[in-house]
Amino acid sequence: MTDTANKLIVVVLDGLRYDAARKYMGYMEHLVEQGHMSCCSVQSELPSLSRPLYEVLLTGTPVSKNGITANHIVRLSHEESVFHLAVAANLRTAAAAYHWVSELYSSAPFDPVADRHQHNVLKPIQHGSFYFEDHYPDSHVFADAEYLRTAYDPHFLYIHPMNIDDAGHRGGGESKEYELAVRRADGLLATLLPKWMEEGYTVIVTADHGMNANGCHGGVTPAERLVPLYMSGNNGLLPEAGAGTLPQLLLAPLMCHCLGLAPSKAMSTEGLPLFAGAKAP
């Protein structure tokens, strides 16, 4: 791998609660203990549903502006996402993700046959591997992502596994099945993160929303809204542990900062003093 300057990998572990991450992700917490990563809590936007929050994470805009108000809204995004901004700056992009991400930034509605693998340098997601079943193994998602990373050398790689969310819906956010899915995701990260970090990537690991004990999300409770934000080499960008919760609207401009891009005009700037004094990537 060459040219690792301003390269970013974002992992969105769908449905991962903040408290579950801090209790069960032993490898990620090891990196925090050793000072290789920082971790803070993030409060998701509302509604705490998947498709609306995919749009929040990648465009930095609230539902009231972007119009992706519920999971059943199937259309391309009308906003400038991090993918759009990266391609406009001649950076390479890739994603291994659930098909709803394709429907927001590549092709809608999703055709499982035609849209499973996508390669078009003119689209916001230039190289994509998209799955369409919630139980598609996380191990396969990470393998898809590694193929994209090594074959196409993207500056911005977005990885989005679904098994934690799937286990939560089936057994609840405090079930044995949910805990096991979190632990498995941690093991997968333990396999890949050392390589990514050695090759100079900035790595962000977060989630769209949490999961309550009844296997639901979409509401306002902490179990549904509080998610983790792990980040490598953050140069003081994140608040110190215990210093407060970051608004989810700041994640898109944070991604832009890591890629050396200016945020879009629509991206929220509230709270950006957190970045004051931080060194440019």
Side-chain angles (χ1 to χ4, degrees):
M1 177 70 66
T2 60
D3 179 28
T4 56
N6 290 353
K7 286 189 174 179
L8 173 66
I9 295 174
V10 173
V11 180
V12 177
L13 299 173
D14 204 293
L16 176 61
R17 291 164 48 148
Y18 176 76
D19 59 350
R22 303 310 302 262
K23 286 192 292 186
Y24 305 136
M25 301 194 83
Y27 176 69
M28 297 299 293
E29 289 298 308
H30 162 74
L31 293 178
V32 173
E33 281 191 355
Q34 294 297 311
H36 300 303
M37 298 197 89
S38 296
C39 185
C40 69
S41 60
V42 169
Q43 180 167 277
S44 80
E45 283 289 292
L46 292 173
S48 52
L49 296 170
S50 292
R51 197 188 301 255
L53 297 183
Y54 302 165
E55 177 81 335
V56 168
L57 283 166
L58 284 160
T59 71
T61 59
V63 163
S64 56
K65 181 183 187 305
N66 63 48
I68 305 297
T69 57
N71 284 341
H72 64 266
I73 307 297
V74 180
R75 63 162 172 80
L76 289 172
S77 171
H78 296 165
E79 306 295 325
E80 278 190 294
S81 71
V82 180
F83 290 118
H84 290 86
L85 295 170
V87 170
N90 295 315
L91 301 184
R92 297 179 296 276
T93 65
Y98 194 57
H99 68 285
W100 289 0
V101 175
S102 172
E103 289 179 327
L104 283 167
Y105 309 111
S106 187
S107 179
F110 182 82
D111 182 332
V113 176
D115 297 334
R116 173 78 169 94
H117 301 288
Q118 301 179 37
H119 301 281
N120 186 336
V121 296
L122 300 179
K123 288 192 173 184
I125 301 176
Q126 296 175 322
H127 304 284
S129 179
F130 300 102
Y131 62 98
F132 46 89
E133 294 177 338
D134 293 15
H135 60 271
Y136 185 71
D138 285 359
S139 58
H140 291 36
V141 178
F142 280 104
D144 293 340
E146 270 297 276
Y147 167 74
L148 294 172
R149 187 182 74 85
T150 56
Y152 299 103
D153 191 22
H155 297 88
F156 179 43
L157 174 60
Y158 191 80
I159 307 174
H160 172 228
M162 185 66 76
N163 289 172
I164 295 171
D165 181 79
D166 185 46
H169 284 305
R170 288 185 286 105
E174 297 174 9
S175 65
K176 177 181 177 180
E177 292 79 10
Y178 182 84
E179 176 183 334
L180 182 59
V182 175
R183 293 181 184 274
R184 284 174 173 163
D186 183 65
L188 292 167
L189 290 168
T191 302
L192 294 168
L193 257 170
K195 181 187 301 185
W196 297 342
M197 294 170 70
E198 182 179 351
E199 295 189 18
Y201 288 88
T202 297
V203 181
I204 290 173
V205 179
T206 189
D208 49 351
H209 55 74
M211 183 74 61
N212 73 13
N214 294 324
C216 298
H217 57 86
V220 304
T221 66
E224 297 169 80
R225 295 188 73 181
L226 290 183
V227 300
L229 172 58
Y230 294 94
M231 185 175 175
S232 67
N234 67 48
N235 296 317
L237 292 174
L238 301 187
E240 296 293 329
T245 296
L246 200 66
Q248 196 172 44
L249 289 171
L250 286 183
L251 268 65
L254 176 61
M255 295 177 204
C256 289
H257 177 90
C258 294
L259 288 165
L261 302 172
S264 74
K265 292 181 180 179
M267 286 181 182
S268 171
T269 57
E270 182 181 356
L272 282 177
L274 286 170
F275 305 161
K279 296 179 180 179

